[in-house]
Amino acid sequence: MCWYTPMPMTKRSVVTEVLVKSNGLGLEVDNKRFVMNINGYMKETETGLQSSLGEKVTSLGEMISLDSRSRPIWSTVNQAPVLILGGFQGYKIILVSDSEFADFTAVEVGIDSCWIGSVNCPLDSFSSSIFDAIATESVLLLRQNQLVYYFTGNYSVLSLPVPGSGLWTRVLNNICVSRLNPVPFPHNGSEFVIALGGGVQEGEFFLGTIRDGAVRFPESHAKGRKTVCEHLNISCAILWAVYITEKEVIVLLVEGKKKSSKSDYYIMAYDQADGDFWTLYSIPRFIPKDTEKGFVMLLGLEEYTDYLLIPRGLSYNPFSTIFYIWGNVILQSYDLLNYIQLSDFPQRSPISYFILSYVGEFVCVTVSEERWLHLGSGDVAAPWESPRQRHLPRRLPSPALHIWLHLAFQIWFSVEGSSVVVRLYPSEPWDTYFSLQLMRGSKDFSFNETFVSLFFNKEGLQQLVYIPDGHGEGQLIRRNFPLHYILSYRHLIIHRYHWLYLQDSQYIRFFRPCSFSVMRLEDLPAPQRFTRMEHYCTEPPDVMDRTGFHNNVSLAVYQGLIFQLLWLHADYSRPYADPVHDPTWRWWKNRKQYAEYFFYVASNGNSSGGVYVNMEGYTKTYDLQPNNQLPSKIYLDKNNVYSFSVFLSIRSKAQSMGEMPEENSLDFVWLTIVLAHPKFVVSDLHRHYLRGRGSVLYSVTISDTGQYPQQELSGMNLLKSSMALKVINSATNCYHYTASGPKLQGYAMVPIFIGCPPGKRLAFDITRTLKYTTKQNKHYFDCIHENPELPCFFFNDVFYPFFLIQDMVTGDSGPFMGSYTLRIIGGGPYSESRIRPYSPSEILDYNTANGSTPLSLIWMRANRTKPALTDPEGFNVFSGTDCGIKWVCEQNSPCYDVVPLDLTAPDYFFLVEVSNRAVDKSTYCDYDLEFVIHIHGLRLSPSRAIAFMKISMAVLTGIVFLYVLHQVLGPVIGAGCTRLIQRFEESLAVRTESTITFSGSSSIQSQGSSHHTSAL
C-alpha cells in the first residue's frame, strides 16, 4: 500500500533528497533515492509552466548522432539544484534537469549569436554550440564562442537580494574568453568560476564570484601587474586553471609557445592576496619509460620515450589534496611539487575530460580518431572487434575505397592513492555485462546507443546515453554505470581457473587476488555525533475508517504536521534555551496532559476529522545505532576522537585448498590509514593477532590534533580533509557480493571536515540564570507585567548570566565552561521596539575603560577583588565560574537618567552579544549569541532626583501647611461659616415672609376694586 506525502523545503536550501525505504511488510521493495530540487528557471504563463532560459526543444534526434562527442557536466558539488549540459554541435541548445537527469528539458537558449572575429579576438570559425556550461546554486553560466552569459534563477527561498533574470546577461563584454573552468566547491559563502583569456588577453584569467545570485567578474589580475607570460618572459597561453580555495591560490597550466612546433608546459601558481606568480613544476617534454611497476617517480633521473607529453587539463581533490595533470598521461602529486606518472594509462588516447568522485575514485574519458579503411564489400577492420563500440555498421554498402574517420572513446578508472588504472570500456567484462542486459530485455541498453556524459552522484558513477528508436527520435537515459560488476568480471576473465588434483580428486581452483576473505567493521561509535545529520520520526496519523486506507483529509493533516515540525526545527535557534532541549517540546508541552483522553476518544472511533495523531509519534531521534559501516563523512571539533575496529580474516583451510602458505597468510594482510592533513589529524593503529580464528583485529583511532588555526561559526569554512582506509594490494582486487550486486572492499575513503561542526550553538540559559540570580541576591524579582518569554531583572541586583552549549544533532546540552566576552551592542528604553544598535565606538565606550568618552560604562564586573581578564581591545573575559556583572549606567551612557513614563521606575532593554572568538581555546567553534534582557528599576540621575525631591518636598510641605491650617483655623472658620449661613437663612426667611405679606395685601385690594366697579 503506497500513498504520497509532500516534502516541504527547508529554509535556505534548494536541494532536497528523498530516500524511500520498505517497511519490511509484503513484497520486497528496493530502496529508491529521489532528487527533489527547486527549479528556479521556470515561469508560469497562460499555457502553463515554461522555461525562462529559452524555447523548449521537443526532438533530440537531429542534435545527437551516433558519432557525437561525450562531454562533462560541470556544477557546484552537492549545491547546484539544476544541472545543465551543452556541447551539441551546431546548436545553441542545453539540457536542463533538476533531478540529476532522471528527467530533463531541452532548451534553445535565448542569446544573441552575433560574434564576429576581430584583430583582438581572432575567430577561425563560427559555431552556435554551447562550449562550456556551468551550474551553481542560483546561477547558470555558459560560453558560446568567445562570449560569456549568465542567468540568475528565481529562488525566493534563498532570499536573494537580486531578482531573477528575465534574459541572459552577457559579462566580460570586452574580453576574448577562450574557456570557462569550474570551481567545484564554494568558499566563505561564495561560488567561483574562472574565465581564461584569448586573443590579446591570452595569458590572462578572470576569477568570477557568484554570491547571493549576483555575478561579479573583476578586472584582469594583470592590471598594473605582470601576466604569467611576462613572468616567464615567453609567449604563452593558459590552458586550464584550478582554484584551491583553502589556500586562495590559483594553479595554472601554461603552454609556453616557441617558434618551432614544440611547446613547453609549466604549472604556475598565483597568490590571490599578494598577486605574485611562482613556478611549481616544469612538465617533462617527453613521456617517461614504463618501469612495469605501475608508476614512475619523476625525479629527473628517469628515462624517457620519444612520445611528446601533452597535458590538457588539471584536477584537484581538496579532500585528499591530490593534484592531477591529465592529457595523454596522468601525473599526480600530493604537494604540487613532486609528481608520479601512472604508467598503466596508455599515451595513445588523450583524455577528453577527467571526473573526480571526491570519495576516492576518479574516471577519465579518452577520445581518439580511428581511421577505417575499406577496399571492397567485405567487413571493415577496426581497432576493436565489437561493432557496438564502433557505432558504425559492420558492412559498408559501396565497394569502392573508403577511409572513415571515427571518434573512439574509452573509459578508464582508478582509485586515488593507487597506481592501478583499469579500462572499463571497451573491454571484455563490459561486453559480458552488456550481453547479459540485452538477454534480460533491459530497455536501458542498446546496440545503437550514444554515450553522452559521465558524472558522479551519491549513488556512484552515472552514465547518460541516447538510445534512438529507429524513427528519427529517441530518449536520453541515465543509468548506473556497472563499475563493480565490470571490475569483478575482470578478475574472473583475467585470472582463469585451473584444474587441481588433490587426494585422487579433481577440483576447480580459482585464483584469489585478494589477501583476505572477510572484512568487517566493528565497535563504531554512534553516527550522529560525527555525521551531523538530524533525524525526526513522523508517523502518519491513524485513520478511523475501518478499511484503514488514507484519504485526502489524513494526507492534508500529515502535510501540515510535517510543515509544523520543520517550522519548529527552523525556529529552534532561539537565543533563550527552552527548559527541555528538543524542538518538539513546544509543540506538545500544553497538551501532554490530554494525551490519554485523545487516545480514549480515538480508540472509540470518535476522533474529530476521522484521524488520530499520536503525540509520541513526532519526536526527534537522538540514539541511532551504527550499522557496521563507515559514515559518509566525519566532522571533528577540537581534540575529537573517532575510533573503530577492523576485523580481517583469511580463508579457511578448506577454502584455501591447493594454495601455497604465502598465498593465504596473515603476514600478507596489512591495514594502512592515509591522512590528507597529518598536521591536523593523526591516526593510531594497533594490530592484534587472533590466530585461532585466522584473523587480525585492528583498533583504529582518528584524532584531531588541536592545531587547526581557524575559529569559525558552526558549519562554516571547514577544512576539507580525508581518511583513506586501505588493505595492502586490495585496490580493485577485493570485492564481496551483496543483495544489490558485487561491491569493492578493502578500500574506503571518508571525507573529514575539521572545524566547528554544524548543529552546535550557544544559548542563554534563562532557567539557571533566574535561579542563581535569585539565590545570590536573596530575593525574587519580576516586573509588574510578566512576560515568560522575556523575564525581568532588577537594576540593583547582580546579574549572573549562564549559557549552554546545545548540540542539535545528538541532543546533548550542558553548561558552557569556556571563556567568552560579553558586550552591550544595542539598547533602548521602555520597550524592545526602541532598541537601536550602537556604533563600534559606542560599543567600546559603553563596555570598556578604553573608550574615548569617560564615564560611559553601562556595566562592570561584580567581583572587583580578582584581577580582570580582558582581550586586546579591553573587553572583559568571563568564564562559566566567574560571570557576575553589576549595572552602573554612568553619566555618559545611554541608560543614564531615563525619564519614567508613569509612577513606576523606568525599564531598559539591552541587546547583549556573547562571543568566545579568540578568547576560548577549547573549541574550533566561534559561538556568537545575541539576546535581549529586560532591566527594571533604573536609577535617576542626581540632578533629576534632586528636582523630583524638591517637587515632592514642595507638594508635601503644601499638604502639611494646609493640614495645619485645617486643624488650627478649622473650628473658627467653621463657626464663622455656620453663623454666616444662619444669617443668610434668616435674611432669606424675612425676605420670603415680607414677600408673601405684600402679595396677600395686593390681592385684597384688587378684589375690593372689582366689587366697587360692579356696583356702579
Side-chain angles (χ1 to χ4, degrees):
M1 180 173 62
C2 302
W3 57 294
Y4 295 94
T5 178
M7 281 300 299
M9 299 300 173
T10 58
K11 185 179 180 181
R12 295 289 297 173
S13 176
V14 292
V15 177
T16 303
E17 298 178 6
V18 177
L19 178 63
V20 180
K21 303 175 68 175
S22 171
N23 59 3
L25 302 177
L27 297 176
E28 183 178 354
V29 179
D30 294 335
N31 297 343
K32 183 67 175 178
R33 171 180 169 269
F34 296 93
V35 177
M36 301 179 64
N37 298 337
I38 299 179
N39 190 341
Y41 306 99
M42 303 295 291
K43 60 183 178 181
E44 189 173 357
T45 63
E46 296 179 355
T47 59
L49 289 177
Q50 293 184 1
S51 175
S52 303
L53 305 175
E55 295 294 329
K56 181 179 179 180
V57 178
T58 58
S59 176
L60 300 179
E62 297 181 359
M63 300 187 306
I64 304 178
S65 65
L66 293 177
D67 210 28
S68 296
R69 283 182 176 268
S70 173
R71 53 284 217 189
I73 298 174
W74 287 340
S75 65
T76 305
V77 177
N78 297 331
Q79 189 162 324
V82 172
L83 301 181
I84 58 176
L85 178 65
F88 298 98
Q89 190 65 32
Y91 296 91
K92 56 177 182 179
I93 291 176
I94 59 174
L95 304 183
V96 183
S97 175
D98 56 8
S99 59
E100 295 182 347
F101 287 98
D103 52 46
F104 69 95
T105 303
V107 177
E108 184 177 15
V109 294
I111 58 176
D112 49 343
S113 305
C114 58
W115 179 268
I116 57 175
S118 65
V119 176
N120 293 333
C121 190
L123 183 64
D124 296 333
S125 60
F126 175 80
S127 175
S128 299
S129 302
I130 304 300
F131 293 102
D132 302 322
I134 302 174
T136 66
E137 185 179 38
S138 57
V139 174
L140 303 180
L141 298 102
L142 52 86
R143 177 181 69 89
Q144 183 194 50
N145 298 314
Q146 287 88 356
L147 308 181
V148 178
Y149 300 87
Y150 77 89
F151 196 101
T152 302
N154 184 16
Y155 288 107
S156 58
V157 69
L158 295 177
S159 302
L160 301 178
V162 297
S165 300
L167 299 172
W168 287 90
T169 304
R170 185 182 167 193
V171 290
L172 298 173
N173 296 331
N174 300 320
I175 305 300
C176 181
V177 180
S178 63
R179 183 187 295 274
L180 288 180
N181 284 147
V183 179
F185 293 96
H187 179 66
N188 201 22
S190 299
E191 298 167 287
F192 304 93
V193 64
I194 303 175
L196 306 182
V200 294
Q201 284 91 20
E202 196 168 47
E204 299 182 24
F205 61 89
F206 307 84
L207 180 64
T209 303
I210 302 101
R211 189 179 183 91
D212 295 333
V215 180
R216 184 177 65 89
F217 275 91
E219 297 182 354
S220 170
H221 71 283
K223 185 176 182 180
R225 299 176 178 175
K226 289 184 178 181
T227 65
V228 65
C229 300
E230 293 172 344
H231 177 81
L232 293 172
N233 198 23
I234 58 173
S235 175
C236 71
I238 300 176
L239 304 181
W240 206 276
V242 169
Y243 185 29
I244 302 178
T245 55
E246 290 80 6
K247 301 178 181 178
E248 295 189 354
V249 171
I250 298 177
V251 182
L252 308 173
L253 173 60
V254 179
E255 178 186 9
K257 299 179 180 179
K258 295 184 177 182
K259 295 182 180 178
S260 61
S261 59
K262 297 180 180 180
S263 298
D264 293 328
Y265 297 92
Y266 306 92
I267 301 298
M268 303 294 297
Y270 176 77
D271 193 325
Q272 282 283 96
D274 300 335
D276 296 332
F277 288 101
W278 70 92
T279 303
L280 292 172
Y281 186 66
S282 296
I283 301 176
R285 183 171 296 177
F286 298 98
I287 298 176
K289 286 185 178 181
D290 188 5
T291 59
E292 299 184 356
K293 295 181 180 179
F295 66 93
V296 178
M297 298 185 66
L298 305 183
L299 302 175
L301 305 175
E302 61 276 0
E303 298 181 357
Y304 291 89
T305 65
D306 295 332
Y307 294 99
L308 289 175
L309 194 159
I310 304 176
R312 287 190 170 187
L314 308 174
S315 292
Y316 177 72
N317 185 351
F319 293 99
S320 63
T321 67
I322 299 181
F323 181 76
Y324 297 93
I325 305 172
W326 49 266
N328 59 350
V329 296
I330 300 177
L331 306 181
Q332 72 176 25
S333 172
Y334 284 90
D335 58 2
L336 282 74
L337 301 175
N338 303 286
Y339 290 81
I340 64 171
Q341 178 207 354
L342 304 183
S343 55
D344 285 348
F345 181 78
Q347 67 269 17
R348 64 179 179 271
S349 300
I351 296 175
S352 176
Y353 59 93
F354 194 94
I355 316 167
L356 287 168
S357 69
Y358 301 103
V359 289
E361 301 170 343
F362 69 83
V363 171
C364 52
V365 178
T366 66
V367 178
S368 61
E369 290 186 352
E370 293 182 355
R371 289 172 171 81
W372 296 37
L373 177 63
H374 182 266
L375 298 175
S377 58
D379 290 344
V380 178
W384 186 254
E385 62 273 12
S386 177
R388 59 181 172 275
Q389 278 96 37
R390 301 175 186 173
H391 301 309
L392 287 174
R394 288 185 62 82
R395 184 177 295 275
L396 297 176
S398 174
L401 175 65
H402 295 275
I403 297 179
W404 293 69
L405 291 179
H406 170 64
L407 294 177
F409 67 88
Q410 298 176 354
I411 302 175
W412 295 81
F413 167 81
S414 183
V415 174
E416 288 192 304
S418 170
S419 61
V420 178
V421 183
V422 180
R423 184 172 65 181
L424 303 177
Y425 176 91
S427 64
E428 190 174 351
W430 168 265
D431 284 346
T432 302
Y433 182 84
F434 187 88
S435 300
L436 291 173
Q437 299 307 309
L438 294 181
M439 292 172 61
R440 292 179 54 193
S442 174
K443 296 182 180 180
D444 294 342
F445 293 83
S446 172
F447 280 106
N448 297 324
E449 66 187 27
T450 300
F451 173 38
V452 177
S453 185
L454 276 178
F455 65 97
F456 281 100
N457 66 6
K458 293 185 178 180
E459 296 178 348
L461 185 61
Q462 305 295 309
Q463 185 180 27
L464 288 183
V465 293
Y466 178 76
I467 300 179
D469 58 5
H471 303 287
E473 298 295 333
Q475 57 181 340
L476 187 69
I477 293 177
R478 186 198 73 185
R479 67 192 185 196
N480 290 324
F481 190 88
L483 174 63
H484 300 281
Y485 282 96
I486 292 176
L487 294 176
S488 60
Y489 291 174
R490 174 175 172 268
H491 289 298
L492 296 176
I493 293 172
I494 294 177
H495 305 292
R496 300 288 183 177
Y497 67 88
H498 64 273
W499 294 102
L500 173 67
Y501 294 89
L502 187 64
Q503 297 179 354
D504 299 330
S505 299
Q506 188 177 14
Y507 300 92
I508 295 177
R509 178 181 179 274
F510 291 91
F511 176 77
R512 299 179 184 270
C514 189
S515 60
F516 61 91
S517 62
V518 177
M519 178 179 179
R520 294 199 308 269
L521 297 174
E522 300 176 349
D523 303 326
L524 280 88
Q528 290 174 281
R529 179 187 175 192
F530 297 97
T531 61
R532 313 306 301 170
M533 184 176 294
E534 301 183 53
H535 295 261
Y536 285 91
C537 176
T538 58
E539 296 180 359
D542 295 327
V543 182
M544 298 295 101
D545 190 273
R546 292 184 178 181
T547 62
F549 288 102
H550 288 271
N551 50 41
N552 290 336
V553 174
S554 63
L555 178 61
V557 170
Y558 195 27
Q559 174 185 351
L561 291 171
I562 294 178
F563 268 100
Q564 175 72 7
L565 185 65
L566 289 185
W567 181 84
L568 288 172
H569 169 79
D571 186 61
Y572 192 61
S573 58
R574 299 158 41 87
Y576 280 47
D578 287 335
V580 179
H581 178 41
D582 194 314
T584 62
W585 175 77
R586 286 181 169 270
W587 200 352
W588 310 115
K589 65 174 183 175
N590 296 326
R591 301 182 183 180
K592 280 286 186 182
Q593 55 184 333
Y594 306 115
E596 294 182 357
Y597 167 75
F598 289 127
F599 175 76
Y600 171 77
V601 173
S603 63
N604 290 276
N606 295 324
S607 292
S608 60
V611 294
Y612 165 66
V613 178
N614 183 11
M615 300 180 189
E616 301 294 336
Y618 291 80
T619 58
K620 193 169 185 179
T621 306
Y622 297 111
D623 55 354
L624 288 184
Q625 298 301 314
N627 56 358
N628 292 330
Q629 293 182 356
L630 288 174
S632 59
K633 53 189 173 183
I634 295 174
Y635 291 86
L636 293 180
D637 197 357
K638 197 168 191 176
N639 299 321
N640 282 176
V641 177
Y642 183 86
S643 60
F644 59 96
S645 299
V646 181
F647 182 85
L648 296 167
S649 298
I650 58 176
R651 293 175 289 279
S652 65
K653 188 174 181 180
Q655 293 173 335
S656 62
M657 185 172 50
E659 293 183 357
M660 300 297 291
E662 59 270 14
E663 295 183 63
N664 188 36
S665 172
L666 291 177
D667 295 334
F668 295 92
V669 180
W670 294 94
L671 179 70
T672 61
I673 300 292
V674 179
L675 300 174
H677 296 86
K679 179 180 178 181
F680 305 128
V681 181
V682 296
S683 63
D684 291 324
L685 275 76
H686 297 279
R687 178 183 173 100
H688 308 279
Y689 282 97
L690 307 175
R691 294 192 181 275
R693 301 168 59 182
S695 307
V696 291
L697 181 66
Y698 278 93
S699 299
V700 183
T701 301
I702 308 298
S703 307
D704 177 80
T705 62
Q707 301 299 317
Y708 185 56
Q710 301 296 328
Q711 192 175 18
E712 298 287 349
L713 299 177
S714 178
M716 299 295 293
N717 295 334
L718 301 167
L719 174 66
K720 300 178 183 66
S721 186
S722 67
M723 169 200 70
L725 182 148
K726 298 192 295 184
V727 179
I728 299 299
N729 297 326
S730 66
T732 71
N733 287 328
C734 299
Y735 56 91
H736 68 288
Y737 287 97
T738 65
S740 58
K743 298 293 183 183
L744 288 177
Q745 67 173 353
Y747 176 89
M749 177 180 167
V750 180
I752 298 177
F753 294 90
I754 302 173
C756 184
K760 298 186 72 173
R761 74 176 192 126
L762 183 69
F764 180 39
D765 189 357
I766 184 61
T767 304
R768 186 184 176 191
T769 299
L770 286 172
K771 290 182 179 179
Y772 192 82
T773 301
T774 301
K775 179 181 178 181
Q776 293 299 115
N777 293 288
K778 303 295 190 296
H779 65 84
Y780 173 77
F781 180 84
D782 204 346
C783 288
I784 299 175
H785 304 288
E786 297 184 7
N787 182 2
E789 299 293 331
L790 190 63
C792 191
F793 296 93
F794 188 42
F795 179 85
N796 290 331
D797 289 347
V798 178
F799 179 56
Y800 296 94
F802 291 96
F803 303 94
L804 291 172
I805 296 296
Q806 294 187 331
D807 194 321
M808 311 296 292
V809 180
T810 64
D812 295 336
S813 180
F816 176 54
M817 304 305 296
S819 301
Y820 62 91
T821 59
L822 184 146
R823 63 191 75 183
I824 307 295
I825 61 172
Y830 313 126
S831 68
E832 286 187 78
S833 60
R834 303 190 65 171
I835 294 177
R836 71 170 183 88
Y838 298 149
S839 65
S841 60
E842 289 178 324
I843 294 175
L844 194 65
D845 289 338
Y846 300 155
N847 295 273
T848 72
N850 297 339
S852 59
T853 305
L855 298 176
S856 58
L857 289 178
I858 293 177
W859 60 274
M860 62 176 57
R861 280 179 176 271
N863 187 355
R864 309 292 291 179
T865 59
K866 294 182 179 180
L869 296 177
T870 60
D871 66 358
E873 295 181 276
F875 292 99
N876 285 278
V877 177
F878 295 93
S879 65
T881 58
D882 179 20
C883 58
I885 65 173
K886 184 71 176 176
W887 307 105
V888 293
C889 289
E890 293 183 341
Q891 182 176 354
N892 295 318
S893 67
C895 56
Y896 177 78
D897 194 24
V898 178
V899 180
L901 299 180
D902 49 28
L903 297 180
T904 61
D907 294 352
Y908 211 91
F909 294 82
F910 291 110
L911 181 61
V912 182
E913 181 189 52
V914 175
S915 174
N916 70 330
R917 187 171 184 83
V919 297
D920 184 22
K921 305 301 181 182
S922 64
T923 179
Y924 292 139
C925 292
D926 176 11
Y927 294 122
D928 189 82
L929 173 67
E930 294 182 6
F931 62 97
V932 175
I933 57 174
H934 182 188
I935 303 299
H936 176 73
L938 270 69
R939 292 195 297 259
L940 299 175
S941 66
S943 59
R944 191 176 299 275
I946 292 174
F948 279 2
M949 184 187 67
K950 291 179 179 180
I951 296 174
S952 300
M953 291 299 295
V955 172
L956 182 60
T957 303
I959 294 174
V960 170
F961 179 74
L962 292 177
Y963 178 76
V964 171
L965 289 177
H966 177 267
Q967 293 296 325
V968 175
L969 301 179
V972 178
I973 295 175
C977 291
T978 301
R979 288 195 297 270
L980 181 63
I981 292 172
Q982 290 177 352
R983 292 179 180 179
F984 177 75
E985 291 176 348
E986 292 175 356
S987 62
L988 180 63
V990 171
R991 187 175 182 83
T992 303
E993 183 179 359
S994 61
T995 303
I996 294 172
T997 303
F998 177 77
S999 300
S1001 59
S1002 298
S1003 59
I1004 292 173
Q1005 291 178 0
S1006 61
Q1007 290 179 359
S1009 300
S1010 60
H1011 288 297
H1012 180 72
T1013 304
S1014 301
L1016 291 176

